[in-house]
Structures are given as structure tokens and as C-alpha cells.
Amino acid sequence: MRLVDRFIKYVKIDTESDPNSNTVPSTMKQKDLSKVLVNELKEMGLNAFLDDYGYVYCKIPSNVKRDVTPIGFVAHVDTSFDAPGANVKPRIIKNYNGSDIKLNDYITMNPKNSPALNLVIGDDIIVTDGNTLLGADDKAGVAEIMELASILVENKEIEHGDIYICFTPDEEIGRGANYFNHDWFKADFAYTLDGSQVGEIEYENFNAASAKLTFTGKSIHPGSAKNQMINASLVAFEFNSMLPTFLNPAYTEKYEGFNHLTNMSGTTEEATLQYIIRNHNKDIFNEQKETFKKIASYLNNKYNYEIVKLEINDSYYNMYEVIKDHMYIVDIAKDAIRNVGLTPITNPIRGGTDGARLTFDGLPCPNLGTGGFNYHGRMEFASINQMKKAVDVALEIVKIVAKKNANN
Ligand SMILES: [Zn+2]
């Protein structure tokens, strides 16, 4: 089975993860795909297994006598809960010419409402029937790593060191790195294949924290409230009004961070505000958190009791903090991208990745483009041409690493 057949087979398997579930993995149906992957790897003659947490592991042993740096590739099997993920009906459009694509009676996709289509004109692309997401995020990555494995197994003359593979569950709900077995996965570094346009290499992401504020007011009948009532909801407004106006996701891009109000509720007696805090720069990230503390303490002084309780928890950090001391990992990927005839594209991720968590847990792990676009929605699509290139990039990385050590 080749790349496209694999991809079509995988996207038809429903693997939606569930943020409200406390099981591991969050949905057992993710294992339906994981088991398929283990079987296919075994059919290739490789040693692969599915662990209790729903992670697939596989090692392709080195085929050379000299020491070669062991590296790894990682992708996630789950799909986002933002759009339906069951009964995916992929459709191939050959040689896409830039015109309207009628997905169904309600949804027509074109380069206007979906500018990423401009990047794939002339390509064979795969789209949905408009009722579900496609699941290229991240089954494009999964299929490409499977294809890489089969190429390495079939072409013994390609020299390589130990190659580790892992397919994780629950990336979309931020838990993909939780049970990653670092003791088993003995790569020096790895790449997640979980980006978008092929040629992308991502190694900077947000530093992230969440803040929860609980306001306790003083309630009294409004008819006799003069000089006595303190309305918790109004103090919550007061808090928000003291935050910097332009540190709002709706006003920011690229390396600009933000504080984003994600939830609010309130009565006179009690109100809560929840925010997420994001910045690529650790110092500014810390200043943003400091601002929250200063405003809270100002309000507590002003009202003369602990009117607001603030809880801040860090979620993840910018992987660049670690990667900056290992830039050869990025350089290898950039060389590989150039070797297959593309120009490397680097953009700061305005979010997090499992790679960030893995990086801080000791496995430096930048992210590579896979050829999938418009993630988490019904207009998601993948370019077959770009997916093939993504396999070429991964294969080139394997070759460069094997060669590097030959020269040392
Ligand atoms: Zn993804």
C-alpha cells in the first residue's frame, strides 16, 4: 500500500479525541487506527507495539556498522473535536485548477474563502464532502511516517541509524505528550510531522499560562445598598478594564503575545474570569503574568479585603529556549527541505505543540509541514503532491543524519 491509499484508509477511521473525558486515551476509538498501524508495521517486518496508554512505538534498527545519531518521527492519530470526525468521505480532485470546489449543497470552497488553495494549484488534492473534517491533521503526518518506514524497509541500500517512530493519542486536547515513553524512545532528537505547508520547519511556539480570578462581593438588597454593596461582577469588569487594551488576540499577530478572556460568569456575590496568557518572549510573558498580579493586589488594597483571588498556572513553554542550543536539528531539516527543491519556511507557532512538551522533557522536537491545510474544519484538504514531498523531506533528513556521522 502506498502513501495515498494509506491516507485514505486512515482518515476513514474515526479517531476524535474528547476534552471532557478522563480516560487514557480520551476515546478508545483512537486505538482502532493505532492497531491498524501496528499491524501494518509488523507486516513490514518491523517491531511495533501499542502500549496501554494508546501510544504506538516502532524502531527501525540501524543498518550500518558505524555510530549514527538515533533520530525519531512523531505524529498524532487523534482528530479535533471542533468538527465531526466520523464517516469521513475523502474525494480526490486531480490537477486542481483554482476553480470552485462544491463540497456539498451548502459548502463551496474556493481560493477566496480558502486562500491556502492558491498553494496547491496544479496539484492532486483530497477534500471532504463538507460534512466532516478531513483529518489530514494529523493523518497526513501518520501516513507519511508509515510511507517513510516502508521505503526504508524496502530499500536496504539507504543507510540509516536507529529510527524511532511514535504515534500519540490526544494531541488535540493537549495530552499527547503526557504518557510519552522517553525511556523507550531513545532518539537524540525527533520531528513531529504535524505542520501545514510542506517546507515548513517550526521551532518557536508560545509560552503559555492560564489565569483564573475569583471575585467575592458583598451582596445586600439593592434598595438599601448605599455605601455597602460591592458587586463582584462590576469589580471583575474593573479588573479587565485595567489590562492593556492591545494585548488582545484580535489585535495581535506574529511575535505579538496576548491575554485572552476565555470565560466569565458573575453575580453580585461572586464572579469569575478566566484568561489564557501567551507570548513567545519569556520575559514579556512573565511581565504579562506580573500585570495580573499587580492589578489583583491593587484591587485588594482598594477594597480593603481580599476581593479577588488569582490563580496562575503555566501550561507550556517556548521550545526555542531549548532548541536555540541545538540549532543543528533545525539546520538538518532546512538542508533536507532545500535538497528536495523547496525553500524552508519558518514561522513562529501561535500556539503550542506536543513537540514543545517533548522538547522540555528532553527530546528536542521541531515540527515539519505535511501538506495538509485548513485544519479543524470541513474545508480541510491535503495536497498529494505536497504529502509526497513531505515524505521526501523526512527521507532526506534520515540520509543527512547518516552521512553526517560518516564524515565525523
Ligand atoms: Zn495536529
Side-chain angles (χ1 to χ4, degrees):
M1 197 172 24
R2 293 272 67 127
L3 178 63
V4 178
D5 304 310
R6 284 186 205 287
F7 178 74
I8 301 269
K9 179 177 173 186
Y10 303 160
V11 298
K12 286 181 179 170
I13 302 171
D14 176 11
T15 56
E16 189 173 315
S17 49
D18 176 4
N20 299 315
S21 162
N22 289 318
T23 63
V24 182
S26 68
T27 54
M28 292 306 141
K29 60 190 176 185
Q30 294 180 63
K31 288 189 181 178
D32 295 347
L33 174 54
S34 305
K35 284 175 191 160
V36 166
L37 298 172
V38 168
N39 284 336
E40 289 184 0
L41 289 163
K42 282 184 174 166
E43 278 165 24
M44 292 179 206
L46 292 168
N47 173 17
F49 65 96
L50 173 64
D51 77 0
D52 293 344
Y53 305 110
Y55 291 63
V56 175
Y57 295 97
C58 175
K59 178 182 168 183
I60 309 174
S62 171
N63 64 359
V64 291
K65 292 238 165 61
R66 61 179 184 275
D67 280 344
V68 172
T69 307
I71 63 168
F73 294 95
V74 178
H76 63 91
V77 297
D78 65 317
T79 56
S80 164
F81 49 91
D82 289 338
N87 299 314
V88 172
K89 296 197 176 67
R91 172 161 68 102
I92 296 177
I93 296 173
K94 297 244 175 210
N95 193 8
Y96 174 60
N97 62 8
S99 60
D100 283 4
I101 302 168
K102 188 176 173 188
L103 299 178
N104 59 27
D105 287 346
Y106 310 101
I107 304 179
T108 295
M109 185 161 77
N110 55 48
K112 270 220 174 91
N113 64 21
S114 180
L117 282 171
N118 287 310
L119 301 169
V120 300
I121 290 173
D123 290 2
D124 294 343
I125 64 172
I126 306 177
V127 301
T128 71
D129 66 356
N131 295 317
T132 65
L133 48 65
L134 178 62
D137 177 12
D138 182 24
K139 289 163 186 172
V142 173
E144 288 156 14
I145 293 171
M146 292 295 287
E147 181 71 5
L148 172 72
S150 73
I151 291 171
L152 292 178
V153 168
E154 288 161 17
N155 300 277
K156 308 275 184 221
E157 73 281 5
I158 300 175
E159 297 194 336
H160 61 82
D162 285 341
I163 307 292
Y164 289 86
I165 290 170
C166 181
F167 299 120
T168 69
D170 290 338
E171 190 272 350
E172 297 292 359
I173 57 172
R175 302 180 202 163
N178 284 11
Y179 295 92
F180 190 92
N181 189 340
H182 287 271
D183 293 331
W184 191 90
F185 199 95
K186 290 198 171 69
D188 280 16
F189 56 89
Y191 300 91
T192 49
L193 267 73
D194 191 18
S196 193
Q197 188 178 359
V198 70
E200 274 177 8
I201 158 91
E202 299 172 317
Y203 53 93
E204 294 177 273
N205 59 278
F206 275 144
N207 296 292
S210 61
K212 184 176 180 191
L213 297 116
T214 310
F215 298 83
T216 310
K218 290 186 177 169
S219 182
I220 188 163
H221 189 284
S224 49
K226 188 163 185 184
N227 296 331
Q228 293 189 63
M229 179 195 278
I230 298 178
N231 188 329
S233 295
L234 292 177
V235 182
F237 286 176
E238 192 178 351
F239 179 92
N240 186 70
S241 73
M242 293 171 78
L243 286 173
T245 308
F246 291 102
L247 276 184
N248 170 327
Y251 301 135
T252 58
E253 61 177 359
K254 294 176 184 165
Y255 283 103
E256 295 163 339
F258 57 73
N259 306 314
H260 173 44
L261 177 64
T262 55
N263 197 292
M264 61 183 284
S265 67
T267 60
T268 309
E269 262 188 333
E270 191 179 273
T272 59
L273 298 177
Q274 283 173 271
Y275 294 85
I276 57 171
I277 300 170
R278 299 287 187 265
N279 207 300
H280 291 100
N281 181 308
K282 192 77 173 267
D283 293 334
I284 306 177
F285 171 67
N286 288 331
E287 279 170 26
Q288 283 172 239
K289 291 195 288 184
E290 207 48 47
T291 302
F292 275 71
K293 289 178 197 161
K294 279 185 189 153
I295 301 174
S297 121
Y298 167 81
L299 291 172
N300 286 337
N301 277 326
K302 176 177 170 183
Y303 289 95
N304 224 356
Y305 72 101
E306 196 181 26
I307 193 165
V308 46
K309 277 202 176 70
L310 168 64
E311 246 177 82
I312 296 185
N313 288 304
D314 287 356
S315 311
Y316 53 83
Y317 300 114
N318 186 350
M319 73 165 99
Y320 185 62
E321 293 276 318
V322 175
I323 303 271
K324 69 179 192 304
D325 298 325
H326 308 276
M327 281 305 279
Y328 64 93
I329 300 168
V330 172
D331 293 337
I332 288 168
K334 284 185 176 171
D335 285 345
I337 289 164
R338 283 189 206 100
N339 288 358
V340 306
L342 300 169
T343 305
I345 308 162
T346 56
N347 283 314
I349 305 173
R350 290 181 61 76
T353 73
D354 273 359
R357 286 276 309 281
L358 297 175
T359 298
F360 281 93
D361 291 343
L363 180 71
C365 203
N367 187 34
L368 299 172
T370 62
F373 299 89
N374 291 353
Y375 290 163
H376 300 193
R378 293 162 197 248
M379 295 206 280
E380 188 180 7
F381 67 93
S383 156
I384 293 175
N385 304 54
Q386 289 210 9
M387 286 174 61
K388 287 180 176 164
K389 277 281 183 191
V391 176
D392 294 344
V393 170
L395 184 60
E396 201 57 32
I397 287 173
V398 169
K399 289 179 183 171
I400 290 171
V401 170
K403 232 187 262 165
K404 253 193 173 12
N405 292 63
N407 299 336
N408 285 345

